[in-house]
Amino acid sequence: MKKEIDSDKAFIRLNNVAKYYEMGESVVKAVDGVSIDIKRGDFVAVMGPSGSGKSTAMNLVGSLDMPTKGHIFLDGEDISSLNESELAQVRGKNIGFIFQQFNLIPTLTVFENVVLPMALQGVPQYEREEKAEKILRRLDLLDRREHYPNQISGGQQQRVAIARALANDPEVILADEPTGNLDTKTGLKVMDFLTELNKEGRTIVFVTHSPELAKKYAHTIYWLKDGKIERVTKERKK
Amino acid sequence: MNYFILAYRNLRKKGIRSYLTLLGICIGIFAVVSLITLSNGLKLAVGSQFGVSSTELITVEGAGNGFGHPGSGQVNPLTQRDLQEIEKLSSVKAAVGRVIVAGKIEFNNKVVFGYATNIPSGKDRDILYQQIEAKTAVGRLLKDSDSGKILLGYNFYANKVGLGREIVPGNKVNIQGRDFEVVGIVEKKGSFIFDNIVFMNERDIESLYGSIEEWDFINVLPRDKKEIDKTKEDIEKLLRRLRDVKVGEEDFTVSTPEASLEQVNSILNAITIFIIIVASISIFVGAIGIINTMTTSVLERRKEIGIMKAIGATNRQIFMQFFIESGVLGLIGGAIGVIFGVVLGYFGIIGINNFIGAEIQPQISIYLIFFALLGSFLIGAIAGILPAMRAAKQNPVEALRG
Ligand SMILES: Nc1ncnc2c1ncn2[C@@H]1O[C@H](COP(=O)(O)OP(=O)(O)OP(=O)(O)O)[C@@H](O)[C@H]1O
Ligand SMILES: [Mg+2]
């Protein structure tokens, strides 16, 4: 995990990536020719107006979707050429998703939600349960382990989602408006936690509508508009 | 990855309406399990009704209308001459003429109607006792020298014939207005006919009903039991000649226990086929119901499928989840069907026992239960294939949108 940060080589590279949706006659260019390099260990915010293609871009990076054009490299590997089960492997092992809607599985307990990504990777039962317990302790959720998602608060649900994203120890965390459904104080807590994960060496990419949050936490901010990169700003952090 | 735990979690949250679609599988499996349990029991029960364990016995009957006790309602009864000629056949070791007569039985100031049958004298008596494996529970068997004496079926002793009191050797029983002394009780046979009948020496029957001119049926012992079918043919040939009838127009039947059992079995098999058709239809309807439930479930759980994919589930894993869940759904329907089927089979056999006075142990086959459960799981799983494929093929981004 804590590899030496190679500052020159791009960890995530988008090479002229586009995603088009055909809507009958017209074509919606959700992402339209994006080329960026994200270094290992970077803390990236993606900003832009609604409909500018932020979520679409995140999904492409997270290998949930395939680009219409261009190539996406993750740690040097071209994920736009992978087949379905290889993509599932990437999603399961290399990437941790955090969503605005929390997206926990309602029929499973907090503990089982955290165990699930490891079970999908075939981690032995004893090992995955021990690991889940460790992560839940770290997120201060151990006393909620037997609760179902609808029995805990939004902030707690988002913490469970973070715990689940950490289950397979991914190098990349992708968070699409992780604070969108939370009050300011709870949102800040979530962002503080992402900062902690970033300090461990993980690469974090998050989408936000809040310039304050972006400025406060991100090292690099990409501004999207109409599917294109409008500008990139670097933030100096102490 | 434990798909069964996932399936259990999802099925637990399902509404009662999803379970109503299981009715088809439930009824189908119920029909199969109860039918097989019952028909196995019936075969045993029918087998025991012949009351003669001897498989070498041939029974000759005049053609009857098929109702009432054996030999009743015969159009052209068997005559003394028929019996004598059968006895003369070289392939026949012995032939015993039998009658069953109906009469009034009085005891303990109560009257019931019952049946009596003749016991021949001389060596025929021994042959008959041997054929019906006559042993007494109490008292003794009838002898040639007995007159005004009777031997009773076990139910008279067990007070199951409606005379209000058990009858024991030494008791006097009035039959058709004449008193008879009971000398013994035949061991329980588990057969309605044998356990409820009065055995009398032939002379006593003749004294009540007049001399016997016609036989209700004739028991024939072949000379060589390996040649039982040839003996049967000989008798048929003989009777056709004596009674002047053509092949296919016989006014008599010659049957071996095996052939009779076969006949019963073939009727049971026909019923089995019918029930299997009914069961297949309801299982088919049930499978459609499961396809429907699972398709709805896939649509309802699109978001969950998206989440699963986002955290690394492969198409195969999503497929397996829905496939197993569908199988478990079928299994639940099947299990309910098995429970009701076993209950009906069990009490059905007890009912048959009470009805025909048999004592069949209801046998619940472990294999039957195992294969019924396995079958219902497979039916559910197969019904789930298409919905599961649909689930697996969902585009993760679209699925996540819900
Ligand atoms: N499946 C689809 N079919 C058609 N058009 C789509 C589809 N998905 C996204 N779009 C379009 O692509 C564009 C970008 O959508 P996207 O969800 O990426 O925007 P966003 O920047 O995340 O917006 P928001 O801030 O509101 O979340 C939008 O115009 C959207 O309508
Ligand atoms: Mg979005």
Side-chain angles (χ1 to χ4, degrees):
Chain A
M1 187 42 241
K2 287 175 185 165
K3 286 179 195 165
E4 257 335 283
I5 294 168
D6 179 352
S7 49
D8 292 334
K9 206 178 121 216
F11 183 50
I12 301 168
R13 165 170 288 172
L14 276 69
N15 198 345
N16 198 22
V17 169
K19 180 73 188 181
Y20 299 158
Y21 292 106
E22 283 186 42
M23 304 292 286
E25 295 291 281
S26 63
V27 173
V28 179
K29 297 181 171 179
V31 171
D32 192 13
V34 168
S35 295
I36 51 172
D37 282 356
I38 296 172
K39 278 177 282 182
R40 193 191 291 276
D42 205 352
F43 199 151
V44 176
V46 181
M47 297 212 54
S50 185
S52 57
K54 304 181 295 291
S55 295
T56 308
M58 289 288 270
N59 292 337
L60 289 171
V61 172
S63 71
L64 274 174
D65 217 350
M66 296 290 260
T68 314
K69 278 200 268 181
H71 293 272
I72 301 166
F73 298 89
L74 186 65
D75 204 7
E77 190 179 15
D78 186 357
I79 57 171
S80 32
S81 68
L82 299 180
N83 67 27
E84 167 48 44
S85 78
E86 290 165 334
L87 285 176
Q89 287 295 307
V90 171
R91 293 194 289 261
K93 286 196 175 124
N94 305 62
I95 292 163
F97 279 98
I98 297 165
F99 304 92
Q100 180 178 357
Q101 312 290 340
F102 320 135
N103 282 351
L104 300 174
I105 299 209
T107 48
L108 300 182
T109 63
V110 163
F111 186 70
E112 289 163 339
N113 264 286
V114 178
V115 165
L116 187 58
M118 295 185 271
L120 288 168
Q121 295 305 321
V123 176
Q125 180 165 352
Y126 174 75
E127 211 177 296
R128 68 197 188 213
E129 291 188 349
E130 202 179 37
K131 180 94 175 281
E133 208 168 299
K134 211 175 103 193
I135 300 171
L136 284 174
R137 184 174 302 121
R138 182 170 175 198
L139 282 145
D140 197 20
L141 282 164
L142 259 192
D143 55 334
R144 299 286 170 179
R145 52 178 284 168
E146 297 309 324
H147 287 65
Y148 286 89
N150 62 5
Q151 296 170 332
I152 58 177
S153 75
Q156 286 167 331
Q157 286 186 57
Q158 197 60 306
R159 260 148 62 207
V160 177
I162 294 171
R164 181 180 65 184
L166 289 174
N168 285 321
D169 219 359
E171 296 183 270
V172 184
I173 303 271
L174 301 178
D176 194 347
E177 298 187 46
T179 62
N181 273 356
L182 302 174
D183 61 61
T184 316
K185 205 176 134 218
T186 317
L188 287 175
K189 259 194 188 163
V190 166
M191 288 314 297
D192 287 339
F193 200 79
L194 289 182
T195 307
E196 225 179 274
L197 297 179
N198 178 247
K199 294 217 166 100
E200 285 175 3
R202 290 178 225 262
T203 309
I204 315 277
V205 182
F206 72 104
V207 173
T208 182
H209 279 287
S210 153
E212 296 81 40
L213 275 189
K215 288 203 167 78
K216 181 167 181 222
Y217 290 98
H219 303 167
T220 311
I221 305 175
Y222 290 99
W223 304 80
L224 271 179
K225 198 180 175 202
D226 296 333
K228 293 187 166 76
I229 302 284
E230 197 188 31
R231 63 193 155 100
V232 185
T233 53
K234 296 275 179 187
E235 300 293 324
R236 284 261 151 246
K237 292 273 142 46
K238 303 142 244 173
Chain B
M1 204 38 205
N2 197 331
Y3 297 107
F4 285 93
I5 290 177
L6 278 182
Y8 165 73
R9 287 313 182 74
N10 280 306
L11 293 174
R12 219 175 47 164
K13 302 266 152 138
K14 266 198 162 59
I16 188 90
R17 215 177 320 144
S18 322
Y19 288 106
L20 282 181
T21 59
L22 293 181
L23 219 56
I25 297 273
C26 198
I27 290 170
I29 297 291
F30 162 74
V32 170
V33 170
S34 58
L35 170 89
I36 294 179
T37 308
L38 272 178
S39 87
N40 284 347
L42 259 178
K43 281 177 192 168
L44 284 173
V46 169
S48 83
Q49 285 315 293
F50 288 88
V52 273
S53 52
S54 152
T55 50
E56 50 184 296
L57 194 65
I58 299 173
T59 306
V60 185
E61 269 181 84
N65 56 18
F67 296 106
H69 64 80
S72 67
Q74 290 181 3
V75 184
N76 197 0
L78 298 163
T79 61
Q80 289 290 3
R81 182 164 163 252
D82 291 335
L83 174 61
Q84 282 156 14
E85 294 295 322
I86 289 171
E87 262 183 316
K88 281 187 206 154
L89 285 170
S90 62
S91 59
V92 170
K93 188 171 172 190
V96 180
R98 304 289 308 281
V99 289
I100 292 181
V101 292
K104 207 170 67 176
I105 304 169
E106 211 179 321
F107 176 74
N108 187 29
N109 292 327
K110 287 202 167 69
V111 179
V112 294
F113 285 86
Y115 295 106
T117 188
N118 63 311
I119 305 271
S121 44
K123 78 169 179 19
D124 284 353
R125 172 189 303 278
D126 300 331
I127 289 168
L128 181 71
Y129 281 160
Q130 212 182 327
Q131 283 170 353
I132 64 174
E133 291 190 327
K135 274 192 217 101
T136 52
V138 286
R140 62 167 174 87
L141 296 171
L142 286 170
K143 298 184 299 205
D144 277 359
S145 56
D146 286 328
S147 175
K149 307 260 167 78
I150 52 173
L151 183 66
L152 295 177
Y154 190 83
N155 283 348
F156 288 93
Y157 180 59
N159 187 20
K160 279 190 188 162
V161 293
L163 287 171
R165 191 149 70 77
E166 66 270 28
I167 301 174
V168 293
N171 284 156
K172 288 240 176 340
V173 174
N174 187 293
I175 293 173
Q176 289 287 86
R178 248 187 71 187
D179 275 348
F180 286 88
E181 188 196 327
V182 179
V183 296
I185 303 289
V186 179
E187 257 183 9
K188 187 167 175 60
K189 290 272 182 200
S191 151
F192 180 79
I193 300 168
F194 275 86
D195 288 340
N196 287 295
I197 211 157
V198 178
F199 296 91
M200 288 180 162
N201 276 342
E202 225 158 274
R203 260 174 291 126
D204 282 330
I205 289 223
E206 287 183 321
S207 76
L208 289 179
Y209 293 88
S211 74
I212 300 170
E213 305 285 339
E214 294 161 351
W215 298 108
D216 288 327
F217 58 102
I218 297 170
N219 287 351
V220 179
L221 198 61
R223 192 161 295 283
D224 182 355
K225 68 175 170 185
K226 286 190 220 89
E227 298 280 295
I228 187 163
D229 287 329
K230 186 193 167 281
T231 310
K232 180 179 175 233
E233 273 164 38
D234 288 348
I235 297 167
E236 281 167 345
K237 235 179 275 169
L238 170 77
L239 288 179
R240 271 198 295 271
R241 184 165 54 78
L242 286 175
R243 297 158 75 95
D244 195 24
V245 288
K246 293 194 189 73
V247 177
E249 291 175 2
E250 287 89 350
D251 54 357
F252 60 88
T253 57
V254 182
S255 55
T256 56
E258 274 139 3
S260 310
L261 261 180
E262 255 165 46
Q263 207 178 336
V264 170
N265 285 346
S266 79
I267 294 170
L268 283 177
N269 289 343
I271 298 173
T272 306
I273 289 169
F274 173 73
I275 300 277
I276 283 176
I277 291 170
V278 172
S280 308
I281 293 170
S282 50
I283 287 174
F284 181 74
V285 171
I288 303 265
I290 290 187
I291 293 177
N292 200 32
T293 305
M294 290 309 293
T295 305
T296 313
S297 178
V298 169
L299 290 176
E300 282 170 358
R301 283 153 62 194
R302 273 177 61 124
K303 180 138 192 172
E304 184 187 318
I305 295 165
I307 299 168
M308 294 280 287
K309 289 200 163 190
I311 61 174
T314 60
N315 286 359
R316 205 189 135 264
Q317 286 170 322
I318 301 284
F319 175 86
M320 284 304 283
Q321 185 193 338
F322 282 87
F323 181 71
I324 298 289
E325 189 174 315
S326 192
V328 172
L329 204 57
L331 183 66
I332 292 171
I336 298 169
V338 164
I339 292 170
F340 282 104
V342 165
V343 169
L344 181 78
Y346 187 87
F347 287 104
I349 287 175
I350 290 176
I352 291 169
N353 278 343
N354 287 339
F355 188 68
I356 64 175
E359 280 209 340
I360 306 306
Q361 275 301 314
Q363 285 183 346
I364 308 300
S365 159
I366 296 292
Y367 293 106
L368 177 61
I369 293 176
F370 174 77
F371 283 110
L373 292 178
L374 181 71
S376 48
F377 177 81
L378 289 179
I379 291 161
I382 289 167
I385 287 178
L386 281 178
M389 278 168 64
R390 218 174 140 169
K393 280 198 301 219
Q394 296 277 333
N395 172 295
V397 174
E398 274 164 34
L400 268 172
R401 211 171 279 140

